[in-house]
Amino acid sequence: MTLRNLVLAASVLALSSCMTASDPMSTSNAGYDARIIRDSFGVPHIYGKRNADVAFGLAYAHAEDDWKNIEEVIRSSRGTLSEIVGDAGAKSDDFILALGMTAIVARDYDTQTSAKAKSVAEGYAAGLNLWCEKNPTTSCARTTPITGRDIIAGFVNRPLSFYGLEAEVDALLSGRADMQMSTKSTRQALLDITDDFELGSNGLAVAPSRSADGHTRLAANSHQPYEGRVAWYEARLKSEEGIDLVGGLFPGTPILLTAVGPNIGWAATVNKPDLYDTFRLVVDDAKNPTKYRMDGQWKDLERRQIRYNVLRNGALVPVERTGYASEHGAVYVLDSGVYAVSFVGKGDFAHLDQYLDMNMAKTIDDWRAAQVKYNDIPSVNYIVADSKGGIAYFWNAHMPKRVPGWDRTKILPGDISETVWKGWEPVEALPSVIRPKSGYIVNANHSPLLVSGPDDNPRAENYPRDFALDTLVTNRGLRAQELYGSDTSITREEFIGYKMDHNYSHGSNVMKMQADLRTIDPGEDTELKAALAVVTAWNGSADMENRNAALAIFTGQAAMGSQMHDTYDRAKALASLKAMATQLKAATGRIDPKWSEVSRVARGGKSWPTDGGPDTLRAMYAAGDLATQKFRSGRAGDTYVAIADWAPDGSYTLDTIHQYGSATLDASSPHYGDQSPIFAEKKWKRPPMKLDDLLKQATRDYRVIK
């Protein structure tokens, strides 16, 4: 066997001794060829000639750290998740298969996927398959081979939950008997996160005109679950085709979803545009329909069998039902009628194309051009900044064009074409702020009408009602405006310090709750009197030493939801106050423990105190039973955070942090929780972006070829 064949047979070679810093990739005729260098924190830095090579290497490295979640994402996108997780995945499978997106990808992948997207998707799939070949004792055999179709199916299916489609379908189907397959909602089944946690994030940027030293700065600060299918994984990608970024991605994703680099960076925050409508159909048979009526004419319903298998007691139990579709979209036959749901994303294939162009962009104008060209990512706000001083905010939405005059919050008549979508709104018609005169942009899942200075903000009257612009203003949004909006000369230390702010605005819901509780007379109820005294003395801070924060914040969450956005009710707040006082007393011996005693970052049997709370800019959403654990451990909020700082002379610094570390699943790895204490202390690491610097700290250096 030749040396060349030996290389291909081995597929994974350590090349530290034969690759130089000036020549990161040697010439190879292999289908895919990537170099993976793990830095001192175990973060993979992927080098490749082509974007497809980098995706191949990324898949291999990510599989080393997170195969379980990658496999579940692949399965979810296929509609076969319940085969491996049982009833917990059944609603996800029903949702995916009923909408028909995966079937469309399977049918049209070859003709509708661009060559560049296909090469990256298939490179990523090849990397996963190679890792599985090298690890035959894992669960891989039940899921491989993975194909490019699987990767594209992930792009078209997962974004649906970010704009809330699954909640609309759940509400519609709440009375259907065969949907009682699980106590979990579709959202829980699809994303593996609880319903009380809203996906969120912060995106913060200042231009040279607002910084004290003429720098441009960006904070990309996503709030995701600490673990699971939509938890962030950090990687650095370096392609000779033009990608040069470090950032975050989800399991099963071949490209960065939020990133910073020498030239550009962007943050993504969840928004909630109105991207679905529900219609009541007129059909020929309410129980077994074959036709629906449109403008006085009968049309045939599409019928197909929805089949999946649910793992129960070690055996696969088949589930089958008839699925329907009309020109509106997926159709559901219920006792109350026959309904169709139109939703954004069906038949869209350009998600990966758009992300590739975003990853290749060098300026905010390049980035905007990708958005205008494709307009394929359904939702999500973007805050973008570049090294030339440009900053921008985009209320991103693949917005349907609708005939005005209909209340789209209600079920619409499905038998007239006037209510059917008429195409798509141009990207330029959506709210945006580009190079604002005020020099700053802030978004924290709040209204697009309050993201910059008063003269730069979009105005509601310029947009149709059907856009359903977000009206919520989070505490994070209020505090960001109070901090960045009031400081006209922001230093680096202030920029980062404001992002790590742990205070609640006087206009926030929890402070309004406190103001109401101040008016209550406890009478002879000594326990209520003591609890009220703690809460009303609170200064609105979630700092570690604060002895009033725990009772106030936990009461606010119990009364108004995890982010304290729900409607306030005094009776519920009082009941929550008493219950939380009892729990804190039982857990800590007092109703006013230090915040650091009951809200901590925990990993690998250790825990660390930290500042921050729910809906503070330093976001910390903790959960756990105080009776058994004695504290609540972080489960969501600040996760992967990246700070980009570009100087006028062209130099830059990039700082990042992850709540745990690169080893997602391996508790024996030194990188399972090596970033947790740094994260808790609100400190940073600086990923080496130059190969010479990377090699000085590399813990592994290897090459994957196929």
Side-chain angles (χ1 to χ4, degrees):
M1 181 179 288
T2 66
L3 177 60
R4 173 64 184 156
N5 288 334
L6 283 170
V7 170
L8 290 174
S11 295
V12 180
L13 296 176
L15 290 180
S16 299
S17 60
C18 60
M19 280 187 167
T20 66
S22 60
D23 181 22
M25 292 303 303
S26 62
T27 302
S28 170
N29 294 321
Y32 301 103
D33 187 346
R35 183 181 185 183
I36 304 170
I37 307 173
R38 300 270 185 169
D39 67 21
S40 60
F41 286 92
V43 174
H45 295 238
I46 319 295
Y47 289 83
K49 286 186 175 297
R50 304 168 301 164
N51 294 336
D53 294 316
V54 169
F56 168 73
L58 171 62
Y60 193 96
H62 199 172
E64 290 181 299
D65 293 325
D66 202 20
W67 167 251
K68 174 183 177 293
N69 285 311
I70 293 173
E71 181 186 32
E72 289 183 3
V73 167
I74 298 295
R75 286 286 194 150
S76 175
S77 298
R78 290 176 179 173
T80 62
L81 179 62
S82 53
E83 289 184 4
I84 63 173
V85 304
D87 283 303
K91 280 188 177 179
S92 173
D93 289 345
D94 195 277
F95 177 74
I96 294 298
L97 296 174
L99 296 182
M101 309 269 274
T102 297
I104 293 173
V105 172
R107 183 191 70 201
D108 296 340
Y109 173 79
D110 286 327
T111 58
Q112 296 299 313
T113 308
S114 73
K116 72 176 183 180
K118 188 178 293 185
S119 68
V120 168
E122 293 181 355
Y124 186 83
L128 295 179
N129 290 328
L130 176 62
W131 183 83
C132 283
E133 289 172 20
K134 299 299 173 182
N135 295 272
T137 60
T138 65
S139 62
C140 285
R142 66 188 182 182
T143 298
T144 55
I146 297 163
T147 69
R149 284 178 171 81
D150 292 318
I151 309 309
I152 297 299
F155 272 106
V156 301
N157 281 310
R158 279 200 286 177
L160 306 180
S161 281
F162 282 82
Y163 68 77
L165 177 64
E166 81 295 338
E168 176 76 359
V169 172
D170 266 3
L172 188 64
L173 301 181
S174 59
R176 202 179 84 191
D178 62 350
M179 286 302 290
Q180 305 308 312
M181 57 188 71
S182 170
T183 57
K184 287 188 175 184
S185 68
T186 299
R187 183 174 189 264
Q188 290 176 293
L190 188 67
L191 299 181
D192 195 27
I193 57 176
T194 57
D195 284 334
D196 64 342
F197 173 64
E198 284 295 326
L199 302 175
S201 299
N202 301 324
L204 312 162
V206 295
S209 62
R210 200 155 189 106
S211 61
D213 51 8
H215 286 222
T216 307
R217 295 188 174 93
L218 170 75
N221 174 206
S222 182
H223 300 163
Q224 291 293 117
Y226 280 11
E227 301 178 76
R229 297 175 210 139
V230 285
W232 287 115
Y233 180 77
E234 183 180 28
R236 190 288 174 93
L237 307 185
K238 175 70 170 175
S239 161
E240 293 182 24
E241 288 186 336
I243 297 177
D244 187 8
L245 298 163
V246 61
L249 58 130
F250 296 149
T253 306
I255 202 75
L256 297 175
L257 304 180
T258 179
V260 293
N263 300 297
I264 197 169
W266 69 90
T269 77
V270 173
N271 62 357
K272 295 287 185 178
D274 185 2
L275 302 182
Y276 51 81
D277 283 334
T278 301
F279 303 85
R280 187 184 187 98
L281 301 185
V282 177
V283 295
D284 58 341
D285 186 321
K287 300 300 182 184
N288 187 30
T290 63
K291 299 179 183 297
Y292 68 101
R293 198 164 180 82
M294 176 62 72
D295 293 336
Q297 303 294 319
W298 288 105
K299 293 190 172 186
D300 291 332
L301 279 170
E302 176 189 338
R303 292 166 63 97
R304 62 181 183 275
Q305 292 306 108
I306 294 173
R307 300 183 180 92
Y308 52 95
N309 298 309
V310 181
L311 181 65
R312 292 174 182 153
N313 300 318
L316 293 177
V317 178
V319 175
E320 183 173 355
R321 71 176 180 86
T322 301
Y324 304 87
S326 70
E327 63 191 274
H328 309 81
V331 172
Y332 297 90
V333 179
L334 310 176
D335 290 342
S336 59
V338 179
Y339 302 90
V341 180
S342 289
F343 60 94
V344 168
K346 185 175 182 180
D348 292 342
F349 279 80
H351 296 74
L352 182 50
D353 294 272
Q354 186 170 339
Y355 274 116
L356 280 166
D357 280 12
M358 287 159 54
N359 276 245
M360 300 275 282
K362 297 296 184 286
T363 67
I364 63 170
D365 297 318
D366 297 338
W367 199 100
R368 175 65 159 175
Q371 184 191 32
V372 171
K373 179 179 180 180
Y374 295 107
N375 189 23
D376 215 61
I377 299 172
S379 60
V380 184
N381 298 298
Y382 287 107
I383 298 84
V384 191
D386 65 33
S387 61
K388 299 183 182 300
I391 64 173
Y393 163 81
F394 304 112
W395 187 79
N396 181 75
H398 192 183
M399 180 59 62
K401 187 173 289 186
R402 298 162 163 128
V403 174
W406 294 92
D407 185 352
R408 301 278 171 170
T409 65
K410 298 179 180 178
I411 293 177
L412 301 165
D415 60 338
I416 55 175
S417 58
E418 183 179 327
T419 60
V420 176
W421 297 352
K422 309 301 180 185
W424 307 102
E425 297 285 354
V427 169
E428 296 88 344
L430 306 178
S432 65
V433 177
I434 303 173
R435 295 185 176 89
K437 294 179 180 178
S438 60
Y440 76 97
I441 288 169
V442 295
N443 185 261
N445 313 115
H446 67 278
S447 172
L449 308 178
L450 193 65
V451 296
S452 191
D455 294 334
D456 295 310
N457 282 319
R459 301 188 182 280
E461 59 268 24
N462 294 332
Y463 306 99
R465 175 186 175 187
D466 289 341
F467 282 16
L469 298 182
D470 313 64
T471 57
L472 173 70
V473 180
T474 59
N475 173 70
R476 289 171 290 121
L478 291 170
R479 286 296 294 162
Q481 277 287 359
E482 290 168 1
L483 295 167
Y484 293 94
S486 64
D487 189 341
T488 59
S489 182
I490 301 173
T491 65
R492 173 180 169 84
E493 292 73 22
E494 288 169 335
F495 180 84
I496 296 174
Y498 294 160
K499 182 269 153 289
M500 292 296 184
D501 178 70
H502 50 249
N503 296 300
Y504 290 91
S505 169
H506 287 293
S508 67
N509 286 352
V510 70
M511 297 303 285
K512 291 176 182 177
M513 178 192 78
Q514 182 198 53
D516 180 65
L517 294 180
R518 282 198 175 108
T519 67
I520 293 175
D521 181 0
E524 300 301 318
D525 189 334
T526 56
E527 291 184 353
L528 177 59
K529 182 178 181 179
L532 285 170
V534 171
V535 172
T536 57
W538 181 45
N539 64 356
S541 174
D543 61 282
M544 286 192 287
E545 299 300 311
N546 200 304
R547 286 197 174 275
N548 305 94
L551 186 54
I553 292 172
F554 289 167
T555 296
Q557 286 187 291
M560 298 180 288
S562 65
Q563 294 202 22
M564 298 183 285
H565 293 162
D566 298 348
T567 302
Y568 174 72
D569 177 84
R570 175 184 280 190
K572 188 174 182 180
L574 283 173
S576 299
L577 176 64
K578 292 180 179 180
M580 292 314 309
T582 299
Q583 290 183 38
L584 287 170
K585 183 70 177 290
T588 69
R590 56 194 299 165
I591 64 173
D592 63 342
K594 291 182 180 180
W595 182 237
S596 60
E597 294 178 56
V598 293
S599 181
R600 301 172 70 86
V601 176
R603 182 70 159 170
K606 300 178 181 179
S607 70
W608 300 268
T610 190
D611 295 323
D615 200 25
T616 61
L617 285 166
R618 169 49 158 177
M620 175 74 166
Y621 298 91
D625 186 355
L626 290 173
T628 57
Q629 189 171 284
K630 305 303 181 184
F631 66 88
R632 291 181 173 179
S633 57
R635 65 185 178 98
D638 274 13
T639 48
Y640 181 66
V641 188
I643 304 289
D645 187 325
W646 297 284
D649 64 3
S651 62
Y652 66 92
T653 57
L654 307 176
D655 296 283
T656 69
I657 196 64
H658 189 278
Q659 79 281 356
Y660 287 156
S662 63
T664 308
L665 303 174
D666 183 6
S668 66
S669 169
H671 306 302
Y672 183 67
D674 57 343
Q675 296 185 51
S676 293
I678 308 171
F679 174 86
E681 293 177 16
K682 301 190 290 188
K683 294 182 179 179
W684 308 90
K685 62 183 180 64
R686 185 159 294 174
M689 298 296 286
K690 295 181 179 179
L691 188 59
D692 284 332
D693 295 332
L694 174 61
L695 291 174
K696 291 174 184 177
Q697 60 170 268
T699 55
R700 288 182 68 196
D701 185 352
Y702 51 112
R703 184 172 169 191
V704 288
I705 304 172
K706 189 174 178 64

